[in-house]
Amino acid sequence: MPEWVMAIIKILIVLAFIGLNGMFLIWAERKVAGFIQARIGPARVGRPQGFFQLFADAIKMFSKEDVRPAAADKWVWWFAPVVFFTPVAMAFLVLPFGPNVIGLDMNIGLIYLAAVASFALLGVFMAGWGSNNKYSLLGAMRAGAQMISYEIPLILATIGVIMITGTLSTQGIVEYQVAHGWNIKTQFLAFVVFFIAMLAELNRTPFDLVIAESELTSGFFTEYSGIRWGMFMFAEYTNIFVMSALAVTLFFGGWASPFGLVGSVLIFLIKTYAIVFLIIWIRWSVPRVRIDQLMTLGWKFLLPLSLFNIVFTGLILLI
Amino acid sequence: MTDGLYILIFLLGGMAFPIGSILVARLLSPSYPEPSKVSTYESGEVPFGEARVQFHLGYYAYALVFLIFDIEAIFLYPWAVIYKDLGLFGFVEMLIFILILVVGLVYALKKRVLEWM
């Protein structure tokens, strides 16, 4: 089979997965929120635990009116959801789901992921500027502040893992961990920095200043409705999956199973959804920080910690 | 070559999904625009003025420091990949490089640049 047919089949599988995973996570978030706040959550649609709520949500997104604000900048506003969604789908190319289940095992996998992930900010800014709405613009400006505080610790936290494994290929990192044990044992500090920076990257509480329902009424996507709003939600929730999968790949052995059993896609998914659950749990447990507190945390604590981790890892590897 | 082909197809596929969804939704959803519906949302108040006014950004100095550290990260990637082969030489070299940047960070802290203004 020619390469391009394989690539098209893979992107179709990825898009189907994004659709199902996005709907599932929106339902799961509401269900977990209900559980934490001692209520039931969605329970009416579908017998087991309101499971068909996710299909009802999808149908609703497609059939709701798509209102275009008159003051908006038409083309910038139109393409913002597309620019926000595309990098998330592209990130799936290098996620190692199983021993042979991967889009493409690139030797620059991690640089590719970092490059693609930082592209999403452009979509946020297009939405904020194009909407011509005060809340949206403030949300987009906050997104910029958040990005410059958290991208550096996020990238530097992965450097320690790269030093140990000696490769940028995601599959190579997992294979190293199959042979030598999980990276979390030697890179715990890096994982803590990575996880905090990851929450900021995903705009999740306690760092959801960009969305901030109670002060900015959804921030940069205030003016979006119907399916466009749905696209933003899909991209956000898929991004949670992507970053959790990256954390599992870097620190928790990817598809490798803990007791030396055969690794598989199932084990990878279980680990990833465990981290997704942790992120949802944090959202419904802690309050939001202020923007200057967030930047102080990023620049005065996480950045020095991640630099220290690099030097420390270097020393350990020398000895 | 294979890399480029895959990235291109994933780029096109990733764009096709939202564009396709928006076009399909256009067929399925109603559309009755009216002046009050398409006006800018300001929590139910009558909107006033433009959103694009000038205001103080507050993180301009951060952005300059960010640029420096972002470039540092790019230099660290190739170094980290071959770190085990470099040995002591590589460690000392990168220690000097990181120390220079840490001195810059401490200078920025002392000058109170990294404070929200």
Side-chain angles (χ1 to χ4, degrees):
Chain A
M1 214 185 307
E3 282 294 326
W4 62 272
V5 179
M6 278 302 287
I8 287 175
I9 292 172
K10 279 174 177 170
I11 185 67
L12 288 179
I13 295 171
V14 164
L15 290 178
F17 180 79
I18 288 176
L20 289 174
N21 174 65
M23 289 190 295
F24 171 71
L25 282 186
I26 291 171
W27 171 80
E29 166 120 49
R30 294 170 67 182
K31 212 65 197 171
V32 172
F35 177 69
I36 288 174
Q37 297 171 341
R39 45 190 184 82
I40 299 173
R44 300 281 172 181
V45 192
R47 245 317 144 179
Q49 298 292 310
F51 190 76
F52 287 95
Q53 185 72 44
L54 48 98
F55 300 107
D57 280 347
I59 293 167
K60 190 181 79 173
M61 275 175 204
F62 271 98
S63 57
K64 282 280 180 183
E65 182 174 358
D66 182 11
V67 181
R68 184 166 71 82
D73 186 326
K74 188 182 174 196
W75 291 106
V76 178
W77 180 87
W78 210 103
F79 276 104
V82 181
V83 175
F84 192 66
F85 183 90
T86 309
V88 181
M90 287 178 77
F92 273 86
L93 183 55
V94 291
L95 290 183
F97 277 78
N100 294 310
V101 190
I102 181 169
L104 183 67
D105 187 15
M106 274 196 284
N107 57 1
I108 52 155
L110 282 181
I111 291 186
Y112 171 81
L113 264 182
V116 163
S118 55
F119 222 84
L121 186 76
L122 187 62
V124 173
F125 233 90
M126 283 169 72
W129 181 260
S131 297
N132 201 356
N133 177 313
K134 298 180 183 87
Y135 298 127
S136 303
L137 192 59
L138 280 175
M141 288 298 177
R142 284 184 178 185
Q146 198 155 311
M147 195 276 278
I148 62 173
S149 313
Y150 278 92
E151 198 160 78
I152 305 283
L154 190 73
I155 290 173
L156 291 186
T158 62
I159 296 280
V161 174
I162 300 168
M163 283 162 76
I164 293 177
T165 54
T167 176
L168 283 170
S169 142
T170 45
Q171 196 70 280
I173 289 170
V174 176
E175 274 156 14
Y176 178 90
Q177 293 178 85
V178 172
H180 298 87
W182 297 2
N183 283 333
I184 185 78
K185 284 185 288 192
T186 49
Q187 290 289 314
F188 185 74
L189 186 61
F191 173 69
V192 172
V193 172
F194 185 87
F195 189 74
I196 295 174
M198 181 172 112
L199 289 177
E201 163 95 12
L202 296 170
N203 303 330
R204 298 288 293 187
T205 339
F207 310 112
D208 65 339
L209 291 147
V210 176
I211 299 169
E213 296 93 340
S214 49
E215 35 185 304
L216 291 181
T217 65
S218 281
F220 64 93
F221 56 90
T222 300
E223 288 290 1
Y224 288 87
S225 55
I227 189 66
R228 290 170 205 273
W229 178 86
M231 282 300 123
F232 277 113
M233 291 311 274
F234 264 79
E236 292 244 307
Y237 280 93
T238 313
N239 219 351
I240 293 175
F241 179 87
V242 169
M243 292 304 283
S244 305
L246 182 61
V248 166
T249 307
L250 288 173
F251 300 103
F252 293 99
W255 41 260
S257 53
F259 310 110
L261 302 167
V262 184
S264 73
V265 180
L266 188 66
I267 287 169
F268 182 79
L269 287 179
I270 289 172
K271 286 179 188 174
T272 305
Y273 280 115
I275 293 197
V276 169
F277 174 73
L278 187 63
I279 293 172
I280 294 177
W281 186 2
I282 287 173
R283 170 164 181 191
W284 297 100
S285 305
V286 290
R288 188 181 304 136
V289 299
R290 237 171 31 225
I291 186 101
D292 60 321
Q293 292 171 330
L294 174 143
M295 297 191 83
T296 306
L297 181 69
W299 283 100
K300 295 182 185 166
F301 294 94
L302 293 185
L303 179 59
L305 268 181
S306 55
L307 284 174
F308 170 76
N309 179 61
I310 292 175
V311 174
F312 187 71
T313 310
L315 262 179
I316 296 289
L317 283 177
L318 269 187
I319 299 165
Chain B
M1 189 58 217
T2 321
D3 287 11
L5 182 75
Y6 268 81
I7 292 172
L8 182 71
I9 288 180
F10 267 65
L11 175 71
L12 293 177
M15 283 169 72
F17 185 80
I19 292 177
S21 302
I22 289 170
L23 293 181
V24 169
R26 181 171 287 182
L27 299 175
L28 296 176
S29 61
S31 178
Y32 304 108
E34 49 177 284
S36 57
K37 193 190 272 178
V38 299
S39 70
T40 306
Y41 178 74
E42 276 180 23
S43 304
E45 301 286 329
V46 178
F48 68 96
E50 275 271 303
R52 292 157 189 165
V53 292
Q54 287 189 327
F55 60 90
H56 184 56
L57 207 48
Y59 59 86
Y60 176 70
Y62 285 92
L64 290 178
V65 184
F66 166 77
L67 265 184
I68 297 162
F69 274 91
D70 220 16
I71 292 167
E72 181 206 359
I74 293 286
F75 278 114
L76 280 174
Y77 269 123
W79 168 79
V81 172
I82 54 166
Y83 178 73
K84 279 181 184 165
D85 306 330
L86 289 176
L88 188 64
F89 167 74
F91 181 71
V92 174
E93 286 275 294
M94 194 44 68
L95 202 60
I96 294 169
F97 181 63
I98 289 178
L99 271 180
I100 292 172
L101 282 160
V102 167
V103 169
L105 186 67
V106 171
Y107 178 76
L109 277 176
K110 285 286 172 206
K111 282 279 180 185
R112 304 173 73 80
V113 172
L114 298 185
E115 306 222 337
W116 189 259
M117 287 172 288

